[in-house]
Amino acid sequence: MSKNFKIYLGVFLVILAIMGIFQINKKPIVDWRKNFDPNSKTPFGLFVFNKEADHLFGGTLERINQSPYDYYSKEKQTPKHNILIIEKNLDTESWRKILDKVNTGSSAMLISRALPAMLEDSLQFRLWVNNSDTTYNLEFTDVKLKNDTLLINRLPDSRGFTKINKSTEIIGYNKTSGFGNDEYKNANFIKIKHGQGYFYLYSEPSAISNYYLLKSRSAYHTKLFSFLPQQKTIWFTESKSVGNSQSPMRFILSNPPLRYALYIAILGLALFMIFNAKRKQRIVPIVEPLKNTSLEFVKSIGNLYLQEGDFHDMMAKKAQYFLHKIRLDLLIDTSNLDEEFIKKLHLKTGVKIEAIQEAVSLIKKAQDPYSNVMKEDFVKMNSLLDDILK
């Protein structure tokens, strides 16, 4: 493992640890957007409704992941049925198909905060918006259902129907308390006859969202869909997926911690590839420097002299080397090894004069070719000369 790779790995692990600490301390953020997605578990998604819809419609519900125009263009012969549209922006031709089907005897429930102008003109109503954020209760006009109510206290839409035809039946309304004991009722659930069928228009899609389905303990939601005839119901979910995703990564992508871990792993792999894609320098061979064999040579010569036992010659060479150093370093004349030489050497080296006298005596003995030299003399002279040269 190269040094650079260790550095990159260390930096990556530190970043990963910091992100992990922030993720642990991070408070979950609730998405309060009103998406009305059948697969969304956010407060205003329709996940709970999507799971309970089959039971709610008695097993007669069919989910269609197409636009009404595409579906009815292929299905030429369709018996009377219920049409369910929840907060969808359909094209004009799809609305025309729905009008045609209701005209021939089917029923359509449109749960939406906005409807197209062509539908308002055809059915003679207007959908108004009250910008007030006051909480209100959703109730039915039927006195038998007076106990089945729902309190809207979180992000109310405050929408209702106005300019409705006299023949239009008001099924439900939202009730707001005013000053004192005054109450204001606005129609939010109406029934309009169209040809041989009926339109059921409901302006409170939030009522069937996850938040209110899990919070409410009343039978309001069950009664809401009980106005539809007992027949097959087709729920147009348009382009959004109704079932679970079939992607092999659906479990990882559906869990934020696993999704973040996957993104970090991909980022780390990309950084690793980028840093390792650059050209690497080829390996430079190690060139050993030339060895200085002078010391080995001197040792070899010394061992040779010791083996031969010629101490007289070794003493003479040692003396010659010593006198050369004295002339070169101390600038003392060595032609006469007399008392004057001994005195100068003593003054410049600081060595005791007795030791210098003994050393000079041994040097003279080494210079005499006829003197008898012993090993002890060589060892003694070598020690004295080394002390003087220190």
Side-chain angles (χ1 to χ4, degrees), residues 85-257:
I85 304 293
I86 302 177
E87 198 69 23
K88 288 291 179 289
N89 294 321
L90 301 179
D91 57 272
T92 303
E93 294 304 320
S94 292
W95 286 118
R96 294 187 189 280
K97 287 290 185 180
I98 294 174
L99 287 168
D100 291 341
K101 290 300 177 181
V102 174
N103 188 55
T104 57
S106 295
S107 297
M109 176 174 276
L110 311 181
I111 303 177
S112 179
R113 295 172 297 172
L115 291 170
M118 60 90 62
L119 198 65
E120 291 182 346
D121 295 336
S122 299
L123 302 180
Q124 300 181 12
F125 73 91
R126 287 293 182 268
L127 184 61
W128 61 270
V129 179
N130 183 3
N131 295 324
S132 173
D133 58 354
T134 305
T135 60
Y136 49 82
N137 283 300
L138 300 181
E139 300 181 3
F140 297 105
T141 55
D142 191 343
V143 293
K144 297 179 181 178
L145 305 176
K146 63 179 181 179
N147 294 326
D148 300 320
T149 64
L150 179 65
L151 175 63
I152 301 297
N153 59 357
R154 173 70 71 170
L155 300 178
D157 286 319
S158 299
R159 297 170 187 262
F161 298 99
T162 184
K163 297 182 180 181
I164 55 180
N165 192 287
K166 293 182 179 180
S167 62
T168 299
E169 179 183 356
I170 298 176
I171 303 176
Y173 55 87
N174 59 58
K175 183 174 69 175
T176 306
S177 299
F179 295 103
N181 296 323
D182 294 337
E183 292 182 346
Y184 300 96
K185 295 182 179 180
N186 302 305
N188 73 323
F189 190 17
I190 59 177
K191 178 182 178 181
I192 302 176
K193 183 173 179 59
H194 181 70
Q196 301 179 25
Y198 292 91
F199 273 97
Y200 296 84
L201 307 182
Y202 187 68
S203 63
E204 294 285 349
S206 299
I208 60 173
S209 64
N210 298 330
Y211 179 82
Y212 288 107
L213 280 175
L214 296 176
K215 179 184 176 181
S216 175
R217 297 184 179 275
S218 70
Y220 179 86
H221 305 93
T222 304
K223 297 297 189 293
L224 177 66
F225 294 97
S226 65
F227 291 94
L228 288 173
Q230 295 295 322
Q231 56 190 9
K232 178 181 178 181
T233 301
I234 297 178
W235 179 14
F236 288 98
T237 59
E238 204 176 314
S239 60
K240 292 186 177 180
S241 175
V242 177
N244 293 327
S245 171
Q246 299 302 314
S247 170
M249 302 294 291
R250 63 183 182 274
F251 178 76
I252 294 177
L253 297 177
S254 62
N255 292 273

